Amino acid sequence: MRARMRPAMRDSMVAVIRSVEPLVSVARGIALFVGGFSALNTLAALSNGRASSDLWWIDLSGFSAAFSAAFGVGGAFLLLAFGASPRCAPLRSRATATAAAVLAVVAVLNARDFYAAWRAGSIDPGVPFPFSLVVAAALAYVALAVRHAGDRERPVTRSASRLAASVALACALAFPIAQVWFFGLTDYRRPADAAVVLGARVYDDGRLSWTLQERVDTAIGLYANGQVRTIVMSGGTGTNGVDEADAMRRHAVASGVPADAIICDHDGVDTDSTVRNTLPLLRDAGAARVIAVSHFYHLPRIKMAYRAEGFDVLTVPAEEHREIVGTPRFVMREIPGFWVYWARSWWRAVAAT
């Protein structure tokens, strides 16, 4: 009787394993993305000694350097190994599940800090829960999936690997959008030395486009409330020959900002140019704490561009008073934009060694 039961039990176990295979593949895809992103960030951080870009998904800065480095390297390796080969010995399985679980706990602590900052008035989020909770849930899912990855003697199917690769790609596409909605919509305003306003379209008659007016008006509000003492207007000259920075300055002066409180960067034709041009202007003005003002979809890229130059800025999304028709297109544009700026920042950090 026992001999007849064994094949039936084995068949049942195989059926269960096969039923969870897609779920394990999803976890593998998450692990591949997180592990690969974290490994590259850690390499760059170890190369130049600056803060890791892991801050975009988890903040380990409250822990010791040894702990951060260990999980930056060890955790990334374990997650990548699970993503590539989920059938593993019990020791690696336990280590991977533990690493994912510990990182999930850290993400929960990050979420706690988010709510503490919100309660203290240090931030004003546009979304009532942090990206850290999404990260915590994803890592907890990976930790559970590692323990149910199945028999290590059974080969991983091609379809399972294709699904894992597809999930990793989906994570790479969704990650910038998550940053736009969670980070970009959060207002980090607090007393600072200066605000940098990034330019946009100006009409032939010198009127600011609605997009640009919202940005400039937000900076005017910061000045009027005593939160900054200097405003840096950064823009280029459009195809119509109108200087964006001059038009921004005229609008601010007409709104009551003293002319001597405004500095113009006339060559801010794109985000990189604005960062490159404004850094010496800010240093000459003695500005240590700086606020960057633009629309929410633009802010993660601005933050990254300044950090690549070793300068951290606070970000404040422009106060929007009407719907801008092109916003969905602008948001989607940030998917390649985010990764281009991240890759450029990463390469500069590694090549600088």
Side-chain angles (χ1 to χ4, degrees):
M1 180 70 176
R2 182 176 301 173
R4 287 196 298 271
M5 288 291 293
R6 284 176 180 170
M9 292 176 61
R10 185 168 58 250
D11 290 344
S12 297
M13 291 177 64
V14 169
V16 169
I17 290 171
R18 286 177 177 170
S19 69
V20 301
E21 185 77 43
L23 301 180
V24 172
S25 296
V26 170
R28 288 175 58 198
I30 295 171
L32 282 171
F33 171 74
V34 173
F37 185 55
S38 184
L40 290 170
N41 288 337
T42 301
L43 174 62
L46 292 175
S47 297
N48 68 359
R50 293 179 184 170
S52 171
S53 289
D54 273 350
L55 286 166
W56 286 107
W57 71 278
I58 196 166
D59 186 4
L60 294 168
S61 61
F63 299 89
S64 68
F67 178 90
S68 299
F71 272 88
V73 176
F77 171 79
L78 289 168
L79 289 173
L80 278 172
F82 170 68
S85 178
R87 319 292 187 217
C88 56
L91 180 60
R92 178 158 75 88
S93 177
R94 286 194 294 270
T96 305
T98 299
V102 169
L103 289 171
V105 171
V106 173
V108 170
L109 295 177
N110 293 163
R112 179 202 62 184
D113 294 341
F114 167 91
Y115 286 111
W118 188 6
R119 188 167 52 249
S122 299
I123 61 173
D124 182 16
V127 180
F129 63 95
F131 182 56
S132 299
L133 288 181
V134 178
V135 171
L139 289 168
Y141 178 71
V142 171
L144 289 172
V146 169
R147 305 307 300 271
H148 296 84
D151 185 356
R152 65 179 173 141
E153 300 300 326
R154 187 167 62 87
V156 178
T157 64
R158 288 184 179 180
S159 60
S161 293
R162 283 196 295 267
L163 177 57
S166 298
V167 171
L169 177 60
C171 288
L173 294 175
F175 190 77
I177 301 299
Q179 298 305 327
V180 163
W181 288 105
F182 287 95
F183 172 79
L185 285 171
T186 299
D187 191 325
Y188 292 90
R189 73 178 66 197
R190 62 199 66 175
D193 300 309
V196 175
V197 187
L198 283 89
R201 182 183 178 188
V202 176
Y203 297 116
D204 295 351
D205 60 2
R207 288 183 301 111
L208 308 187
S209 62
W210 189 253
T211 296
L212 185 53
Q213 184 175 332
E214 287 179 336
R215 297 179 186 183
V216 176
D217 285 346
T218 300
I220 291 170
L222 292 171
Y223 182 88
N225 292 331
Q227 292 177 300
V228 298
R229 54 182 174 81
T230 302
I231 301 176
V232 180
M233 305 296 189
S234 179
T237 299
T239 56
N240 58 6
V242 179
D243 188 308
E244 292 174 4
D246 278 343
M248 296 158 72
R249 179 181 179 278
R250 285 194 298 271
H251 179 78
V253 170
S255 300
V257 179
D260 59 3
I262 300 172
I263 301 173
C264 286
D265 162 32
H266 300 282
D267 297 311
V269 295
D270 55 29
T271 305
D272 272 340
S273 299
T274 289
V275 172
R276 183 174 57 251
N277 298 340
T278 58
L279 283 175
L281 296 176
L282 293 167
R283 293 189 180 108
D284 289 345
R289 175 178 284 180
V290 175
I291 293 172
V293 179
S294 189
H295 279 75
F296 72 99
Y297 49 79
H298 192 194
L299 292 176
R301 193 153 45 95
I302 295 170
K303 179 85 169 180
M304 197 180 304
Y306 273 108
R307 288 187 78 243
E309 297 297 330
F311 195 87
D312 200 18
V313 295
L314 302 168
T315 54
V316 172
E319 297 172 10
E320 300 183 37
H321 301 292
R322 69 171 68 174
E323 183 179 353
I324 298 173
V325 176
T327 296
R329 176 168 54 87
F330 299 147
V331 170
M332 296 304 294
R333 189 178 63 185
E334 292 305 313
I335 296 177
F338 180 93
W339 288 119
V340 166
Y341 272 65
W342 173 83
R344 192 181 299 165
S345 173
W346 184 89
W347 176 247
R348 287 173 182 168
V350 173
T353 59

